Structure formats: C-alpha cells, structure tokens
Amino acid sequence: MDWLERTAKLRQWSRSGTRAPHKPLLLLYALGRFQEDADAELRYSAVESELRRLLAEYGPPHATTPAYPFHHLVSDGVWEVRTDSGPGSPGSRVRDLRESGATGRLAPELRAALRREPSLVGRMARLLLDTHFPPSLHAELCEAVGLEPTPDGTVRLSAARRQRNRRMRELVLTAYEYQCAFCGYDGRIGAVPVGLEAAHVRWWAFEGPDVVENGLCLCSLHHKLFDKGVLGVGDGHRILVSQHFVGSSTAAREHVISLAGRPLIGPQPGADRISTAHRAWHTEQVFHGRPRPAVRG
C-alpha cells in the first residue's frame, strides 16, 4: 500500500480555494504521538483541547471543531476509532465522542508500515506540510505536534505536480527593491540580503502562483506574522493588523500594531502589484478576525 499516495489524497471539503486543514493537522498530530508511543490510543476527551488549539493556530480563521476530523479521517484508511462499546466511531458530534469514550489512533496497517520503515513518518509529515502549509510554518508546526522528522524525510514529487519557479524570490525581492514591504527593513551582509524573504500571498499549496503579483518581499518577522494571519493587505494596498493580536511591549507596538493602515512600501514603478484575487484569498482564508483601525499620527 502506498501510504504517501494515500496521504496526498486525503479527502477534504473544498470550494474556491477554501482552507480545510483539519485532517492534515490531526494526521500530523497522530504521527507525532506515534513517535512518542507507537501503541498509545488517543482518547478524544483527553486530546480535544490540544487539537482545538492546533486548529485555532494553524487552521482557517473561522471557528471549527476537532470532532470533524476525528470522525471523518477514518474514511481515508489511515485512522481508526473505537468507543467503550467496541470498534467504530459514534459520529462527528462532540458530545457523542466525549460520552462514548471514543479513542483514535493510526490504522493497524499504517502502524505496521511505520514500524517496518521508521523514515516513513518523516516523509508523510513532509508531504502533509508541503501540501497544506507555507514553509515559514513547518518547523514550528513540527514542534507543536511533537514531530521529529527524520533526516531523509523528503518526498519525491511526481511529474504531475506543479513545478516551482526557482526565480520567484529574486523576482519578488527585485520588485520591492530588497526591502520589507511592511517595515522597510533592508539588511545585507556585503551584497547579500539577509532576513528578507519572498512571501506568497495566496499559498502555493492552494494554487498560489510563483509570480510577482502573488508575492511580497517581507522580513522574516513579518513573513511569519503574515502567514499566521496577524498581518494582511487590504484595499488600497494598506497593511491590516488583526484585532486578535495583543502585545504590550514597545517592540510589539512599534513592529506590529503601528503598521495598521500604513501603505505598502513598493513595489517599484512598473512592477506588478498584488492582485485583488490573491489579496482576497489571504484575507478570507488566513487573516484572523477584523483589522485594527489605522494608527493616527
């Protein structure tokens, strides 16, 4: 059985690029728990809060529940659920999962394959990360689910997969004249820029193209905050700061909160600005809640 192919084809609700990473997050969490204890069963009532936290931090901006993937991942053949009464899931209602003593874990055949080939954990994790999340979130997501990918945890892309444009970073950084579009940071060591990255507005995993009109030159800090939904780009290409973001330090105020309502820095004349469609996708699928009002003065 090709577990990588099965992982790549998790059945998910989708519509017009809507993010639904519920099953990938649960599978990543289960792989992490497998590394910790290969025989452990995950009782829903015991792991619900952890799964809810993962969905809140890495899932879509709207409220959601871990009960959905806990029940539905069974249909993908990588997960099993049983209750105090025996095998089978009681359904996707939170109350039913709690009261029935529902527990879940990786399917027996998958557990056997992971025991035979420990590196499969890393390769499955890498495939889930590459398919559903931007690179800026990979390391912290692994840490959040307790995963330690193996050194050879890579996935060979089939010919059918889209090929990346290797010049994306160069094109975007050039368009924004090698400075962060949010704060203007432009650090270099000699002639080499450091701490500057090409951020996708619409994520590559959700059909975001490697083109300048889908890119922003951002410093490492603002790239991470952009991908976490703290920052966004609104009408008139002005910076959005989520009302959900809280920070009382001088650094938080100066580097994040004070950005609210500021115009983007760049791109240079003649370069493509972010397309309306890609901005709208990020606002709907990544940005958290409502934006703060523009900072006066």
Side-chain angles (χ1 to χ4, degrees):
M1 186 175 297
D2 190 336
W3 292 106
L4 292 179
E5 181 178 358
R6 185 163 289 193
T7 300
K9 294 181 178 179
L10 293 179
R11 290 189 284 273
Q12 297 174 265
W13 183 88
S14 63
R15 184 185 65 194
S16 302
T18 301
R19 292 179 60 219
H22 308 69
K23 287 183 177 180
L25 281 170
L26 176 58
L27 186 49
L28 281 168
Y29 180 81
L31 289 170
R33 294 296 294 266
F34 178 87
Q35 278 192 332
E36 181 181 315
D37 183 349
D39 296 315
E41 292 185 324
L42 308 179
R43 184 171 288 271
Y44 180 80
S45 58
V47 301
E48 181 183 3
S49 61
E50 284 190 84
L51 294 175
R52 194 176 294 278
R53 175 181 56 79
L54 285 172
L55 281 169
E57 190 162 357
Y58 300 103
H62 55 270
T64 187
T65 170
Y68 169 84
F70 203 93
H71 167 72
H72 287 287
L73 189 59
V74 172
S75 65
D76 294 281
V78 297
W79 179 251
E80 66 173 3
V81 176
R82 59 184 299 115
T83 67
D84 293 340
S85 302
S89 172
S92 60
R93 292 176 56 189
V94 171
R95 180 175 178 179
D96 293 340
L97 288 166
R98 290 173 180 167
E99 294 183 351
S100 65
T103 61
R105 63 177 175 173
L106 298 175
E109 299 88 350
L110 177 53
R111 297 200 309 271
L114 294 172
R115 286 189 175 96
R116 289 193 305 270
E117 189 180 356
S119 67
L120 182 58
V121 172
R123 287 182 284 137
M124 287 180 65
R126 176 57 57 193
L127 180 56
L128 288 165
L129 292 168
D130 286 344
T131 305
H132 301 284
F133 304 96
S136 67
L137 301 183
H138 290 185
E140 69 173 69
L141 238 177
C142 284
E143 183 177 350
V145 299
L147 265 173
E148 298 179 8
T150 53
D152 62 342
T154 58
V155 178
R156 181 176 299 167
L157 299 179
S158 69
R161 294 285 300 272
R162 291 189 300 148
Q163 296 298 307
R164 303 297 299 261
N165 181 353
R166 299 178 185 275
R167 296 190 61 221
M168 168 73 171
R169 181 175 184 274
E170 175 190 347
L171 293 172
V172 171
L173 266 60
T174 299
Y176 285 85
E177 300 182 286
Y178 291 85
Q179 59 182 332
C180 176
F182 287 172
C183 69
Y185 168 81
D186 61 355
R188 299 170 182 261
I189 293 179
V192 180
V194 291
L196 286 173
E197 301 165 356
H200 282 76
V201 179
R202 183 183 182 120
W203 295 353
W204 168 261
F206 289 85
E207 305 301 320
D210 279 339
V211 295
V212 171
E213 67 176 18
N214 187 41
L216 275 173
C217 176
L218 296 177
C219 66
S220 300
L221 171 65
H222 290 134
H223 187 178
K224 176 64 69 67
L225 296 178
F226 186 66
D227 284 346
K228 294 293 287 285
V230 172
L231 299 174
V233 179
D235 295 337
H237 291 77
R238 291 184 176 273
I239 301 169
L240 305 178
V241 179
S242 172
Q243 290 183 349
H244 292 182
F245 177 81
V246 177
S248 57
S249 66
T250 300
R253 292 195 301 272
E254 290 182 352
H255 299 307
V256 184
I257 296 172
S258 68
L259 297 178
R262 286 189 193 176
L264 291 182
I265 301 170
Q268 62 176 284
D272 293 330
R273 305 185 81 185
I274 304 170
S275 80
T276 301
H278 299 324
R279 283 197 298 108
W281 182 90
H282 185 275
T283 301
E284 294 168 5
Q285 300 300 322
V286 181
F287 187 75
H288 280 274
R290 297 173 61 83
R292 288 171 172 264
V295 176
R296 294 182 179 274

